[in-house]
C-alpha cells in the first residue's frame, strides 16, 4: 500500500483532493455524452489505427504479460484480468513516444484512443495464448513428467518448441473467423453488455481526456514504483534459495505444523497483487477451500492410511492420499463447470428466444447502464455515431467463412501428424460443432462476463477421449481435443469483447480484427518460447512441492484418464467423496443464485474452493493479504484506492513476473543462489543440538 509523505511517494500534499476531483470528472463521462467530448477529433481510417509504433509497443508488452501469465499458469492457475494493465501501459509507452517526437518536431500522427484500443487488443490476444495454449494444463499434461504422476505412464508426448508452435498456429485462428459474421448481431442488434470490454473502453476513453491523462500519469507512476519494489524483492529472495525447501518462500510463518499442511505466507508479491485484483469472494473462497481440504479432510484421511489405502505407497501415488486430493478437486471443478454450462446455455437460449420473438423492439434494448424506458438524446447521439462507424468498415462474410474453412482444412490435415492418436474425423466433427459452441460462449460472456473456456475443453476431453478409447491413445487424443476446443472458443469470445471495446471507442472492426490476428500470431511464437525457457531452466517443473508444480496439468491428465478408463483406479471411498463434492458444488451454485445480492457475497465459489485442494493454501494466504491491504486502503481513502489499487497490484505482479526472465537465464547458465536459508523442524533442531553439545 502506498506510504504517506511527499518525498516517499511523489505526490503533492493536495493529491487526495486532486484524485477525488479527477475521479469525479471521470465519472461524469458515464453521465455525459462521451462522443461529444471527442467530436472535434477526427477518427483515423482503419489503416491509420494500425501503426508500427502500436505493434512495437504491443510486442514488448506481450512478452511481459506472457511471463506473468505463464508463471501464474505453472503455479496456481488463477489468471486475473490484465486488460486494464495492458491499456494503461500501452497509453503510457505511446504517450511517452509521441511526446519525445513532438519535442523533436518529428511527430506525424497523434496518439488516439483507437490506437490505444489496438494495442490493448493485440496484447491481450497475445498473452491469452499463454492461457489457452495449455502450457499449465492440457499441453503440459501430455508430458512424460506428468504421466509419471498418474496411473497411465505410457501415453505421453514430451514438449518440443517446433510442434507446439505448429499446433498453436493451426488451431488458434479458427475462433476468430467463426464469430466475425455475428459482430453486428451481438454488439448492435442484441446490445450485449460484455462488461469487461465495456470497462476497458471506459478506461481508454477516460485516458484520452485531460483529466484522465493526468490520472493515468499518476497511475503509471505508482505502477512503476511497485514494479521496481517487486522486482528487487524477488531478486533479494533469490539469494536464499540454493536448494529445495529453503528461502523466504518456505518460511513457516504460522508454525511448523501448519507449514507441513501448506499453511504459511510465502512472501510472493505476485499472489498479493492477484489478491488485490480478484474480488474478495474469490480470495475467501480459495482460503475456505484450503482450510476444508488441508486443515480438515487430508489430516483425517491420512489417519486412515493402511485401511483406505496402502501405507507403503509413495506420497505421489494416485492410489493413496494424492488420489483423494486430485480427484475430489476434479469432482468440484466438474460440478461447478456443469452447473455454469447449463446456466449460461439456458440464459443464451432464453436470450436468443427473446431477441427473435421481439425483433421489433430490439433496437430499443438498453445498453449497459441505461434504462430502456428513457434514452436521452446524448446517448442516442453516442449510439448513432458509434453504429455509423462500426458498420462503415465491413468484413465480408465470404472472407470469414472462407478463412474458417481454409484453416479447418489445414488443421484437419496437419493435426494427425502432430498427434497420431487424434484422427482426422475427430477433428472434422469438432470443427462442425465448434462455431456453435464459440457462439454460445461469446453470447454467454456478453450476458454474464463469464467465459466457460475450460468447461468446453473438458467436454472435449471426455467425448473424444471416450471415443478413442484406452487402446488407441484416448488420453492424448482427449488432451489434444481439449486444446483445439479451448483455443477456438477462447479467441472467439475475446474477439467479441474487443469488438465491443472498439464499438465504444470508435475503433474500426477491421483494425480490431487485424490487431487480434497479429496478436494471436505473436502469441503463437512468444508463449511457446517463454514456456520453453521455464521448461529448460527448471528441471523440477511440474513436480509436487516444486517452485512451479503446474497443478492443472495433473488435473487435466487425470480427467482424460477418467474419461478413458473410468473409476476403477480410484482408492477406497474416493468415488463416494467425489460424488459428495460434485453434488455440493452444484448445490452451492444453486444456493448462490437463489440468494439475494446481499447474501450472495458471503457464499463461496466452488471452482475457487477446488484450486487449493491439490496444491495447498499458501497462495490463498498471500491473496487474502492482498485483499486485506485493499480493504484497509478503501477504508482510509476509497477514492485513492479505486484509482490506484489496480496500478499497485499490476506493479506487484509485473515486477515479480518479469524477474522470472533473469532467473531463468541464470538457471540455464548454471548460476545457483549462494545461500540456503532452511527452517528445520523441532526434531531436527534437537538432533543438531545434541550433536553440537560438548561431549564428556
Amino acid at each position: 500500500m502506498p506510504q504517506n509523505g511527499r518525498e516517499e511517494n511523489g505526490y503533492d500534499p493536495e493529491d487526495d483532493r486532486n484524485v477525488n476531483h479527477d475521479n469525479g470528472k471521470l465519472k461524469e463521462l458515464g453521465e455525459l455524452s462521451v462522443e461529444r467530448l471527442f467530436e472535434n477529433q477526427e477518427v483515423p481510417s482503419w489503416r491509420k489505427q494500425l501503426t508500427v509504433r502500436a505493434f512495437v509497443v504491443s510486442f514488448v508488452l506481450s512478452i511481459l504479460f506472457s511471463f506473468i501469465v505463464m508463471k501464474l499458469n505453472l503455479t496456481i492457475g488463477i489468471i486475473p484480468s490484465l486488460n486494464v494493465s495492458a491499456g494503461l501501459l500501452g497509453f503510457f509507452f505511446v504517450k511517452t513516444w509521441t511526446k519525445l517526437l513532438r519535442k523533436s518536431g518529428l511527430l506525424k500522427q497523434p496518439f488516439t484512443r483507437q490506437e490505444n484500443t489496438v494495442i490493448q487488443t493485440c496484447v491481450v490476444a497475445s498473452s491469452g495464448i499463454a492461457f489457452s495454449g495449455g502450457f499449465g494444463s492440457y499441453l503440459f499434461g501430455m508430458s512424460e513428467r506428468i504421466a509419471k504422476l498418474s496411473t497411465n505412464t505410457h501415453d505421453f508426448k514430451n514438449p518440443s518448441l517446433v510442434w507446439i508452435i505448429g499446433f498453436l498456429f493451426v488451431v488458434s485462428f479458427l475462433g476468430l473467423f467463426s464469430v466475425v459474421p455475428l459482430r453486428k448481431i451481438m454488439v448492435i442488434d442484441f446490445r450485449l453488455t460484455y462488461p469487461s470490454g465495456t470497462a476497458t473502453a471506459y478506461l481508454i476513453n477516460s485516458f484520452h481526456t485531460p483529466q484522465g491523462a493526468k490520472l493515468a500519469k499518476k497511475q503509471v507512476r505508482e505502477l512503476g514504483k511497485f514494479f521496481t519494489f517487486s522486482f528487487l524483492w524477488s531478486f533479494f529472495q533469490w539469494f536464499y534459495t540454493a536448494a529445495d525447501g529453503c528461502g523466504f518462500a518456505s518460511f513457516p510463518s504460522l508454525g511448523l505444523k501448519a507449514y507441513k499442511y501448506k499453511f504459511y505466507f510465502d512472501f510472493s508479491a505476485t499472489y498479493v497483487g492477484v489478491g488485490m485484483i480478484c474480488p474478495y469472494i474469490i480470495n475467501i473462497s480459495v482460503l475456505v477451500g484450503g482450510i476444508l481440504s488441508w486443515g480438515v479432510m487430508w489430516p483425517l484421511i491420512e489417519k486412515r492410511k493402511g485401511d483406505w489405502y496402502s501405507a507403503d505407497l509413495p506420497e505421489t501415488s494416485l492410489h493413496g492420499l494424492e488420489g483423494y486430493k486430485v480427484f475430489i478437486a476434479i469432482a468440484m471443478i466438474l460440478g461447478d463447470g456443469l452447473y455454469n454450462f447449463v446456466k449460461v446455455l439456458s440464459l443464451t437460449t432464453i436470450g436468443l428466444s427473446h431477441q427473435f420473438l421481439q425483433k421489433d423492439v430490439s433496437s430499443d434494448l438498453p445498453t449497459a447502464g441505461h434504462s430502456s424506458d428513457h434514452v436521452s438524446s446524448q446517448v442516442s447521439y453516442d449510439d448513432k455515431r458509434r453504429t455509423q462507424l462500426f458498420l462503415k468498415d465491413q468484413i465480408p462474410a465470404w472472407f470469414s467463412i472462407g478463412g474458417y474453412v481454409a484453416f479447418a482444412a489445414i488443421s484437419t490435415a496437419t493435426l494427425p501428424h502432430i498427434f497420431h492418436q487424434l484422427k482426422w474425423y475427430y477433428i472434422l466433427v469438432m470443427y462442425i460443432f465448434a462455431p456453435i459452441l464459440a457462439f454460445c460462449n461469446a453470447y454467454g460472456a456478453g450476458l454474464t462476463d463469464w467465459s466457460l473456456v475450460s468447461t468446453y475443453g473438458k467436454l472435449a476431453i471426455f467425448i473424444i477421449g471416450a471415443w478413442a478409447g484406452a487402446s488407441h491413445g484416448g488420453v492424448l487424443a482427449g488432451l489434444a481435443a481439449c486444446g483445439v476446443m479451448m483455443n477456438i472458443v477462447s479467441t472467439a469470445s475475446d474477439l467479441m469483447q474487443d469488438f465491443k471495446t472498439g464499438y465504444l471507442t470508435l475503433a474500426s472492426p477491421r483494425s480490431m480484427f487485424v490487431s487480434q490476428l497479429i496478436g494471436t500470431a505473436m502469441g503463437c511464437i512468444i508463449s511457446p518460447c517463454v514456456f520453453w525457457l521455464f521448461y529448460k531452466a527448471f528441471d523440477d517443473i511440474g513436480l509436487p512441492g516444486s517452485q512451479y508444480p503446474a497443478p492443472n496439468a495433473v488435473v487435466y491428465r487425470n480427467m482424460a484418464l477418467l474419461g478413458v478408463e473410468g473409476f476403477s483406479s480410484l482408492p477406497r471411498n474416493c468415488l463416494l467423496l467425489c460424488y459428495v463434492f460434485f453434488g455440493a458444488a452444484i448445490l452451492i451454485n444453486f444456493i448462490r443464485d437463489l440468494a439475494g445480492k446481499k447474501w450472495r457475497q458471503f457464499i463461496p465459489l466452488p471452482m475457487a474452493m477446488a484450486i487449493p485442494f491439490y496444491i495447498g493454501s499458501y497462495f490463498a494466504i498471500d491473496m487474502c493479504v492482498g485483499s486485506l491491504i485493499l480493504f484497509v486502503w478503501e477504508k482510509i481513502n476509497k477514492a485513492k484506492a479505486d484509482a490506484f489499487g489496480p496500478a499497485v497490484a499490476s506493479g506487484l505482479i509485473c515486477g515479480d513476473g518479469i524477474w522470472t526472465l533473469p532467473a531463468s537465464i541464470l538457471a540455464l547458465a548454471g548460476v545457483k543462489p549462494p545461500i540456503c536459508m532452511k527452517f528445520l523442524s523441532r526434531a531436527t533442531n534437537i538432533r543438531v543440538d545434541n550433536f553440537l553439545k560438548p561431549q564428556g
Side-chain angles (χ1 to χ4, degrees), residues 418-429:
I418 301 176
F419 306 102
H420 67 270
Q421 299 87 352
L422 195 64
K423 305 302 181 184
W424 66 269
Y425 43 89
Y426 301 161
I427 305 166
L428 185 61
V429 169

Side-chain angles (χ1 to χ4, degrees), residues 186-241:
M186 306 281 252
V187 175
I188 296 177
D189 295 339
F190 292 174
R191 299 195 177 219
L192 298 176
T193 54
Y194 289 101
S196 293
T198 299
T200 304
Y202 168 77
L203 285 169
I204 291 175
N205 282 334
S206 69
F207 288 161
H208 291 266
T209 63
Q211 296 86 1
K214 182 180 178 182
L215 180 59
K217 184 177 179 181
K218 295 176 181 178
Q219 289 172 327
V220 169
R221 189 188 307 163
E222 288 301 296
L223 190 152
K225 185 191 305 180
F226 282 89
F227 175 95
T228 305
F229 163 76
S230 179
F231 183 88
L232 293 177
W233 172 241
S234 299
F235 176 54
F236 173 75
Q237 288 189 84
W238 175 81
F239 281 95
Y240 301 93
T241 56

Side-chain angles (χ1 to χ4, degrees), residues 371-382:
S371 170
S372 58
D373 297 331
H374 175 70
V375 182
S376 69
S377 60
Q378 294 169 336
V379 174
S380 297
Y381 172 81
D382 285 1

